[in-house]
């Protein structure tokens, strides 16, 4: 199982959109990939849990986390092979760790925890909560956005991950991310 949670070597930079629900992570990941004419990794957790909700009307349970993590890494490793210079990931295993601990009283599966801490990305874009929360079948924390944002931020800080906070409207977030990515790409030349 451990192998299925590992990043495979890649010849590109990797950026993660990271933060609480309903903060434009998917929109930004897709938009940034289009801007840089490269690949992006959709969030596997959302697809997995939407299927579960549609079939069973059930939300995430602890036993769902490892299959979600495997699906996320399978997508990431596949897209990393076709990415040009940079890959945009709509979430990563570290985000899954944050949600696991938030929902399951501090618990995170040891395999997931190890992989989350071992996988590495060149930059994280921490998405702030200064936008409107939009409900859907899976979102359930409209009243704890600040608490969740603090969990995401402290996780990046405690694990010494390079990050930039994206604030403002969608265009402001996009422009901030583009500036940071352009700088990263310059350093890679």
């Amino acid at each position: 199982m451990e192998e299925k949670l590992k990043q495979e070597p890649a010849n590109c930079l990797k950026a993660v959109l990271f933060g609480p629900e309903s903060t434009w992570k998917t929109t930004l990941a897709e938009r940034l990939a289009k801007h840089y004419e490269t690949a992006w990794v959709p969030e596997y957790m959302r697809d997995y849990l939407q299927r579960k909700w549609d079939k069973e009307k059930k939300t995430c349970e602890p036993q769902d986390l490892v299959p979600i993590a495997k699906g996320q890494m399978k997508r990431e490793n596949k897209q990393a092979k076709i990415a040009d210079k940079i890959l945009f990931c709509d979430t990563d295993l570290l985000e899954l760790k944050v949600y696991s601990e938030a929902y399951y009283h501090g618990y995170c599966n040891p395999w997931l925890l190890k992989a989350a801490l071992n996988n590495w990305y060149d930059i994280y874009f921490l998405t702030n909560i200064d936008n409107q929360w939009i409900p859907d079948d899976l979102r359930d924390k409209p009243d704890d956005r600040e608490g969740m944002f603090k969990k995401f931020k402290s996780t990046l800080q405690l694990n010494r991950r390079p990050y930039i906070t994206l604030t403002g409207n969608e265009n402001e977030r996009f422009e901030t991310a583009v500036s940071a990515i352009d700088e990263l790409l310059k350093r890679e030349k």
Side-chain angles (χ1 to χ4, degrees):
M1 173 176 20
E2 189 174 353
E3 286 299 312
K4 292 185 179 188
L5 298 179
K6 274 187 171 179
Q7 286 176 317
E8 294 174 5
N11 291 324
C12 62
L13 296 173
K14 291 184 179 181
V16 179
L17 282 293
F18 188 84
E21 62 189 20
S22 193
T23 55
W24 292 323
K25 292 184 301 286
T26 302
T27 301
L28 287 166
E30 188 172 15
R31 187 173 171 190
L32 288 163
K34 185 176 182 180
H35 177 79
Y36 286 98
E37 298 177 342
T38 191
W40 73 288
V41 183
E43 179 185 18
Y44 186 78
M45 179 168 50
R46 173 160 282 281
D47 296 339
Y48 179 100
L49 293 177
Q50 188 66 58
R51 283 191 305 272
K52 183 174 181 163
W53 178 257
D54 292 345
K55 279 176 131 175
E56 307 170 42
K57 295 294 185 238
K58 288 185 177 178
T59 58
C60 190
E61 300 169 287
Q63 64 269 20
D64 292 321
L65 297 176
V66 170
I68 289 169
K70 287 179 184 177
Q72 186 68 33
M73 290 314 304
K74 183 177 179 182
R75 282 184 176 182
E76 179 184 318
N77 288 330
K78 179 181 177 187
Q79 292 301 95
K81 292 175 183 162
I82 62 170
D84 182 34
K85 296 181 193 139
I86 189 162
L87 176 67
F88 294 96
C89 301
D90 176 8
T91 200
D92 74 336
L93 299 190
L94 196 59
E95 181 156 325
L96 194 53
K97 171 199 169 304
V98 172
Y99 277 118
S100 177
E101 291 172 350
Y103 281 80
Y104 306 117
H105 313 289
Y107 174 78
C108 184
N109 176 289
W111 293 105
L112 171 57
L113 179 60
K114 183 178 179 183
L117 298 177
N118 286 335
N119 291 351
W120 188 260
Y121 300 85
D122 297 281
I123 190 164
Y124 282 80
F125 292 111
L126 175 62
T127 52
N128 204 340
I129 55 169
D130 58 340
N131 65 312
Q132 181 182 356
W133 184 85
I134 299 170
D136 68 15
D137 290 341
L138 304 176
R139 294 176 180 155
D140 65 353
K141 292 236 181 246
D143 300 324
D144 191 26
R145 293 184 87 200
E146 190 172 323
M148 288 303 294
F149 180 79
K150 287 177 182 177
K151 284 177 174 63
F152 281 102
K153 185 174 182 177
S154 68
T155 296
L156 292 173
Q157 291 171 337
L158 288 170
N159 293 287
R160 299 175 187 217
R161 305 300 166 129
Y163 76 94
I164 293 173
T165 304
L166 300 181
T167 60
N169 65 37
E170 182 188 331
N171 287 330
E172 290 168 325
R173 291 171 192 234
F174 176 78
E175 292 301 326
T176 300
V178 166
S179 292
I181 293 160
D182 287 349
E183 194 59 40
L184 264 180
L185 291 171
K186 271 190 230 172
R187 283 190 243 149
E188 286 296 306
K189 287 184 178 180

